[in-house]
Amino acid sequence: MRIQIVVIFIVGLVVFQENQQALANSESTILKTDSLTPSPTPPLLEKLRGKSVQTDEIAQRVVKDIQIRFINDKGKFVDDKGQPIEGRTQRNFIIDNLKLKPGQLFREDVLQKDLQRLRRLNSLDKVNVSLQEDDTGVNIIYDIKERHFPSLSFGGGNNGDVGLYGQVGYEDANINGLNEQLDTSIQVSGKDVQFDSQFTSPYRRGQPNRLGYSFRVFRERDLSRTFNDDIKLSNGSTAREGRFGGSVAVLKSFNDWDTAFGLNYTRISLRDRDYNLARVDRLGSPLSVSGTGIDDLVTVSFAISKDQRDRRDNPTQGSLLTLSTEQAIPIGLGKISSNRLRANYILYVPVTWIGNGRLTENPEMLAFNLQAGTNIGEFPPAEAFDLGGQNSVRGYGGGKVASGRSYGLVSMEYRFPILQSVGGVVFADFGSDFGSGKTVLGEPGVLRGKPGSGFGYGLGLRVKSPFGLIRGDLGISDQGDIRFEITTGQRF
């Protein structure tokens, strides 16, 4: 019954989002975009401001030319010497991402989708469009501000596992001017060296016979959220969870759907404070399928997603749907052969309850997130779905709600502006393992007294900074616990 309710809720939100999108398409115009610099309104755009966006006169006009203009941080099209700003992104790559091409009849709905597609590229910061119209047709002009890449970051801190650590990261999302991405980081402490590096060459719409690809290598460790310190190891240590491995994937897009087919390897190990292998906890419950404290996961994965957000960062409307499956191949320690299924749906609905729709870094909206997943077959207990924490049910500690074979998570946020770069959030989260905690090997969630379901609510602040979006959330759980946590990026 619970699963049926979640499915009905997801379908209802999808239908609601489609209605919202249809309404937005019928009422919005090209001018409802962010503005880098004020500019005169061409005659054609004045016509587009009416309620009937797609008039017969507009529909008969042909696209003559598409122009790309790059803009610097000052909002200028030329540099101090009067020369046009040269962008790093290849112009042909930008044109290849557009469906509306010269020689075609102008369609405002296709132009809107092209604009959103460009805004979702990692390499671009802001994209606006304007039109020039005469008796022979329409010229489309895209004004583009690129992100600053490559970037180097430094950080450090102290955690309960490795103690003091330092971290350095490198990111470039526009290699060769083709939106190719390299994101790598390395963390060094007195106990360990961890790293995570991923390179992605996306699928290119202008080269339909060329597949995109990505590969990743990683080594990471942290205190286990599944085997938390409610039940320690036999030597009194809290369980540490280490992972290292890699993956390769091929990428392709079909219309508005993006797909990824991958081969993955992960070695999961459970260890004590000195990083010695641990086979069981203090109660004698197993920590791995193999019984050695190590499980090998060799999997084949497939994921499909549909991104209808108006932009990748800080979207104001639209949705993102992701479905994935991961089948384990019985190779290595544990000989795991389970299947992991997951679904994730995010919906953004703009509202104007307290504001007037003015442009801000923190636009007013309702945001919804629905997640569900399950493991089929025997799987490593460290692969249980851990609920609770700043990225699931806020107000609870990490993994304190449940560690289950299956899970469902529902989150809702009302986001509103306070100042230009400061926003507020009212949120509520609910998560459940649907009673599946007792089917996980060793029953780690049940033995540690995790409730299996939990509700959290609270208030938060969002601050736009030179280092990205800073998020602070004050969460209250249904058990009366209060937690304040600071991190970066939106919850979803």
Side-chain angles (χ1 to χ4, degrees), residues 90-306:
Q90 294 187 24
R91 295 174 184 267
N92 288 341
F93 171 76
I94 296 174
I95 299 297
D96 286 343
N97 275 276
L98 306 177
K99 288 189 175 182
L100 192 59
K101 302 290 180 66
Q104 298 178 347
L105 290 178
F106 176 83
R107 288 180 52 187
E108 197 261 345
D109 59 332
V110 179
L111 180 60
Q112 286 279 13
K113 290 183 178 180
D114 284 345
L115 180 63
Q116 293 178 3
R117 190 176 300 109
L118 291 182
R119 286 177 166 177
R120 291 196 294 265
L121 294 177
N122 286 328
S123 57
L124 306 184
D125 185 19
K126 292 184 179 180
V127 182
N128 295 306
V129 66
S130 58
L131 305 178
Q132 291 180 344
E133 176 252 359
D134 57 29
D135 293 337
T136 61
V138 180
N139 290 328
I140 302 175
I141 304 172
Y142 287 96
D143 297 331
I144 294 176
K145 180 177 181 291
E146 296 177 304
R147 296 184 185 277
H148 294 291
F149 289 113
S151 64
L152 194 63
S153 62
F154 300 91
N158 183 22
N159 67 33
D161 178 20
V162 298
L164 292 174
Y165 65 88
Q167 182 172 309
V168 59
Y170 175 88
E171 181 182 8
D172 191 348
N174 200 12
I175 299 173
N176 298 320
L178 296 171
N179 202 45
E180 294 180 330
Q181 302 148 36
L182 174 63
D183 191 354
T184 185
S185 65
I186 182 169
Q187 178 180 302
V188 180
S189 68
K191 293 185 177 180
D192 202 4
V193 175
Q194 303 174 54
F195 57 85
D196 192 342
S197 183
Q198 181 168 346
F199 176 82
T200 302
S201 180
Y203 172 77
R204 301 172 193 165
R205 298 178 184 275
Q207 298 176 294
N209 295 325
R210 173 194 177 276
L211 294 175
Y213 62 91
S214 70
F215 58 85
R216 178 190 178 211
V217 292
F218 62 91
R219 184 177 190 270
E220 57 191 30
R221 59 177 279 182
D222 204 348
L223 297 175
S224 176
R225 292 193 171 192
T226 304
F227 303 101
N228 59 36
D229 56 6
D230 290 334
I231 298 178
K232 297 181 181 293
L233 302 179
S234 57
N235 61 2
S237 174
T238 300
R240 272 74 171 167
E241 188 176 304
R243 294 172 181 253
F244 79 86
S247 63
V248 294
V250 292
L251 316 172
K252 188 173 177 61
S253 297
F254 301 91
N255 295 323
D256 292 329
W257 292 92
D258 299 318
T259 63
F261 181 79
L263 177 64
N264 320 278
Y265 170 73
T266 304
R267 167 160 284 197
I268 306 172
S269 61
L270 280 301
R271 300 173 181 270
D272 63 15
R273 68 170 69 90
D274 297 320
Y275 224 52
N276 298 313
L277 283 173
R279 293 177 171 83
V280 296
D281 62 19
R282 181 174 56 82
L283 300 182
S285 300
L287 305 182
S288 64
V289 173
S290 69
T292 65
I294 298 176
D295 284 326
D296 289 321
L297 270 178
V298 180
T299 65
V300 176
S301 60
F302 177 76
I304 184 170
S305 64
K306 187 174 186 179

Side-chain angles (χ1 to χ4, degrees), residues 31 41 67 71 94 109 160 198 237 260 265 312 316 353-354 392:
L31 287 184
T41 303
Q67 301 176 28
I71 299 175
I94 296 174
D109 59 332
Q198 181 168 346
S237 174
Y265 170 73
R312 180 179 294 272
T316 63
W353 294 343
I354 64 173
S392 59

